[in-house]
Amino acid sequence: MATAKEEFLKEFGEHYGYPNGPKTIDQIRATEFNRLQDLVYLDHAGATLYSELQMDSVFKDLTSNVYGNPHSQSDSSSATFEIVRDARQQVLDYCNASPKDYKCIFTSGATAALKMVGEAFPWSCNSNFMYTMENHNSVLGIREYALDQGAAAIAVDIEDIHPRLEGEKVSTKISLHQAQRRKVAGLQEGEPTGDVYNLFAFPSECNFSGLRFDLDLAKIIKEDSSRILGTSVCKNGRWLVLIDAAKGSATMPPDLSKYPVDFVALSFYKLFGYPTGLGALIVKNDAAKLLKKSYFSGGTVAASIADIDFIKRREGIEELFEDGTVSFLSIASIRHGFNILNSLTVSAVSRHTTSLALYTRKTLLALRHGNGSRVCILYGRHNSVEMCHEMGPIVSFNLKRPDGSWYGYREVEKLASLSGIQLRTGCFCNPGACAKYLGLSHTDLISNTEAGHVCWDDNDIINGKPIGAVRVSFGYMSTYEDAKKFVDFVTSSFMSPQNHVHNGNQLKGVNGSLDTCYYLKSITIYPIKSCGGFGARSWPLSNNGSLKHDREWILKSLSGEVLTLKRVPEMGLISSFIDLSQGMLFVESPHCKERLKIRLELDFYDSTVQDIELHGQRYKVYSYSNEPNAWFSEALGRPCTLLRYSGSNHEFVLDKTKDVVSCKDTDSAVSFANEGQFLLVSEESVSDLNKRLCSDVHMGVCGTAMKVNANRFRPNLVVSGGRPYDEDGWRDIRIGNKYFRSLGGCNRCHVINLSLNAGRVQKSKEPLATLASYRRVKGRILFGILLKYASVNGEQQQGDSWLHVGQEVHPD
Ligand SMILES: *Cc1c(COP(=O)(O)O)cnc(C)c1O
């Protein structure tokens, strides 16, 4: 029987790999991307990876040559001058642009190149800025310059321009979406007073869908604009064409000998990973002459007089547009990247990456749940293999449950990261493509924004619709194994083979039988948020019902953010202990010789009470003299200050919630803000997890080292008795004579993967990866429950305000 790889090679083998290059794909991965190890990196549309050999060459280059400022006259500056000149030529060659017709202006990135065009374009009130719906925000932003000058901005869809346009009438194939015009004081639309210039902008490859645009569009727009666009849009005037090739050029640079494009924006980290912060605008000479540069600077000015309006700008196009000193060391580095692409040949890179994308699309499209419904909805064009060739190496999709509801893309991202797969989710800075493929209307988009959705946040499904997608994208060094691991991950984590709802809304909790007897096994107090806590046989509750002194102190960085275990894992190595009879908090760290003593009584504090803002709320806090601050700064190897909550109940209520309730990473917003006072885990659930950790076959050997202790979950209370996950079903709970209410499961993040042993922090994928395999509810990975002290009939609870280890726990 053929292996999966043989099957793949049978179908895609002629496109896969670099049989004619200096190394095979497997050799490239083994020798030049050794650092990847088992990591599956699938965000090449975000940034591709640099090769280790490339970096060696850059290092050798920079350490063996002396590069001076290219504007100076020394030998080292002429070395720089030459290398910059050669680099320009290399960029032009990459796009097959004749140096007679085109110039290469270096910029700080593709965005800067696009902005330069927008800023200097000869807009007038009769101009049009027309752009395709599928465009990066950095292109859409040009419209602000256009509108400011009274020009019209028009979004178009060119969905129907394929297949090839030769000889066909195309006037019906472009649909205008929207034309807007801003009222600009002092400008009036009217008869053209001079030449009118219009700009048409589109990406060579959409960074959302992977759709490759036909560059013939450039020719059609320039030569036949009124036929396509209708005379209402274009009165007279000349059309210039801008291509955003930031994404597309990594595998298919635009051929400027064939297409009459005026401007092309590029970014080098998208081509070969390094350097970042460097891009280029390739500009046609006659288009460059139309641009109006306003700012002048060192580098762009030949002569100027300080106190009167006199300047003489430089003549050369590059010199005129490159303000200041170009990033000459980065520019010197790009040839080492081009060397790689040229040795493989960019056409082989395109075939190779396309074969991986085709395989991935095909496999994802074929996935079905046990009930026959589709697992994966792909965005873009892939109705036929032929169509697929119009797609770059991007696969964008969302996943569905057997019942047709959507998995949130954040869930996919979180689980992928646990499987060592790095991908990208959201709208990828391409709101037009996002709206188009996800079927979001303007009203949806506006109400999403009003519902608080902004880029980067955690709301991935609103009103039952995904508002972003999952994107995997391939680079020249991606392998079949990367693609295979990814599709295997989707299959194992999201496909449900049986005809039942996989990862449904309910965890299967087994209710404890009547004679089950639960008891309190341990009590842990964490005085300083995110630092180690201590166990107590008995501990008092404070007035509001949380454990006294629990998370009463926090550490704050110099920039004002509260330090958390997630960002500063070393905090877990700091241990603390409170002796109530002495009225002292003792703190120890492997990095400090002396242990720190802090008196619990208030008179020790500095007199100043500060106001700090935490998660959008203001708190009154006490600050400390220098001694504790110096101690913690040494313990953590970073400057920080200790603060203590000064509220009547001495609690960082909200803050504590963040630590306990949210356990929040990229997941959905906290729903119990202010409420989770205690975190409870059950010993039986921990044992069950440990059994699974050890039986997991693909984990290889299992030793005791794999096992986790209940402390890993930073619980306040550990209970014992009964069966694993009984606690899921609890609502009202009595411990001794105190009543508590469950707020539901605690959503877990990778903080539980930090092991803090023998003064060292180690990170792994466990136990979160295993929990994710069986404790997932709506994108959250639950373990343990959150409790809130309950008032009885609105009354404060009476009696002894202590909890004691050994007390019975009664879920009522
Ligand atoms: C990455 C990207 C950009 C932005 O490029 P920067 O160099 O980061 O400014 C613009 N457009 C597309 C299509 C991109 O993929």
Side-chain angles (χ1 to χ4, degrees), residues 128-129 131 147 152-156 176-182 233:
N128 295 290
F129 172 50
Y131 53 94
L147 293 173
I154 305 155
V156 297
L176 301 188
H177 266 260
Q178 235 190 335
Q180 33 174 325
R181 198 177 274 282
R182 185 174 285 164
V233 171

Side-chain angles (χ1 to χ4, degrees), residues 182-204:
R182 185 174 285 164
K183 280 228 163 22
V184 183
L187 282 178
Q188 275 193 348
E189 203 181 343
E191 287 305 305
T193 48
D195 293 328
V196 172
Y197 296 101
N198 307 298
L199 183 65
F200 189 90
F202 66 101
S204 59

